[in-house]
Amino acid sequence: SYELTQPPSVSVSPGQTARITCSGDALPKKYAYWYQQKSGQAPVLVIYEDSKRPSGIPERFSGSSSGTMATLTISGAQVEDEADYYCYSTDSSALRVFGGGTKLTVL
Amino acid sequence: EVQLVESGGGLVQPGGSLRLSCAASGFTFSSYSMNWVRQAPGKGLEWVSYISSSSSTIYYADSVKGRFTISRDNAKNSLYLQMNSLRDEDTAVYYCAREEWSGLYYFDYWGQGTLVTVSS
């Protein structure tokens, strides 16, 4: 089965840049999407189609993709950005797949 | 405003059954594909099942295939998940999620989830 691999945790100080990676063999042909999930809440989309930002998402959130790796970047991370982040894509059969999630700590 | 409200969760014994519902409002339900996604306590998100707008296409994750059945009633703006032969590892918060297309299928709106606990 298809897997998307993320680091379990990333830690930065407020104001620093946080980068969360997601690797998957199909990413050269499939877009990556990123969801933010704060404790006890439903996930919220923060990046779609590798690098596009939905309305209402702060400009400090950006995304990129190269080869088999997609990256979510939070420039000038703030305390309120502390959350779990999940990458998402589909495999060649269009089955939906989430990465294992990355816990972002900002302190 | 798009709203998805899940219900039907609760405590069930291993081997038991449960039916989850998701009431949709604020959009034309019959035009959208829908999904169930779950999250075990302290774990990551796991996609469970997909159903197309007309119910003509259905997919399941291998972990639930043969035990869970997804369905919908467009006249009632409702999505369902019938869960049979439940196991301890099915314990999770179950979210219904609307599916959108933009380069790829993805989930644009989520409900708040309903907790299913499988335990004796």
Side-chain angles (χ1 to χ4, degrees), chain A residues 60-71:
Chain A
R60 63 181 179 272
F61 288 87
S62 63
S64 62
S65 187
S66 178
T68 60
M69 184 168 289
T71 302

Side-chain angles (χ1 to χ4, degrees), chain B residues 54-82:
Chain B
S54 64
S55 304
S56 59
T57 302
I58 286 174
Y59 300 129
Y60 297 99
D62 288 343
S63 57
V64 306
K65 201 174 295 182
R67 301 187 299 121
F68 289 12
T69 302
I70 191 171
S71 63
R72 65 190 295 163
D73 186 335
N74 287 342
K76 294 183 178 180
N77 291 338
S78 294
L79 173 72
Y80 306 102
L81 186 67
Q82 177 66 44

Side-chain angles (χ1 to χ4, degrees), chain A residues 1 30-31 33 35 37 40-45 48-49 52 86 88-90 93-100, chain B residues 33 35 37 39 43-47 50 59-60 62 95 99 101-108 110-113:
Chain A
S1 61
K30 300 284 189 178
Y31 286 118
Y33 296 68
Y35 289 91
Q37 186 181 34
Q41 298 182 19
V44 172
L45 184 73
Y48 67 102
E49 287 186 41
K52 297 179 180 179
Y86 296 90
Y88 162 85
S89 189
T90 67
S93 303
L95 290 184
R96 288 79 173 137
V97 180
F98 289 97
Chain B
S33 298
N35 292 261
V37 177
Q39 186 170 34
K43 302 296 184 182
L45 300 171
E46 179 189 15
W47 170 77
Y50 158 93
Y59 300 129
Y60 297 99
D62 288 343
Y95 296 99
E99 188 165 287
W101 167 270
S102 180
L104 205 61
Y105 293 109
Y106 71 102
F107 315 113
D108 62 346
W110 300 63
Q112 283 305 304

Side-chain angles (χ1 to χ4, degrees), chain A residues 35-59:
Chain A
Y35 289 91
Q36 175 195 68
Q37 186 181 34
K38 296 185 177 179
S39 182
Q41 298 182 19
V44 172
L45 184 73
V46 294
I47 294 290
Y48 67 102
E49 287 186 41
D50 290 344
S51 60
K52 297 179 180 179
R53 198 172 50 249
S55 61
I57 301 301
E59 291 184 8

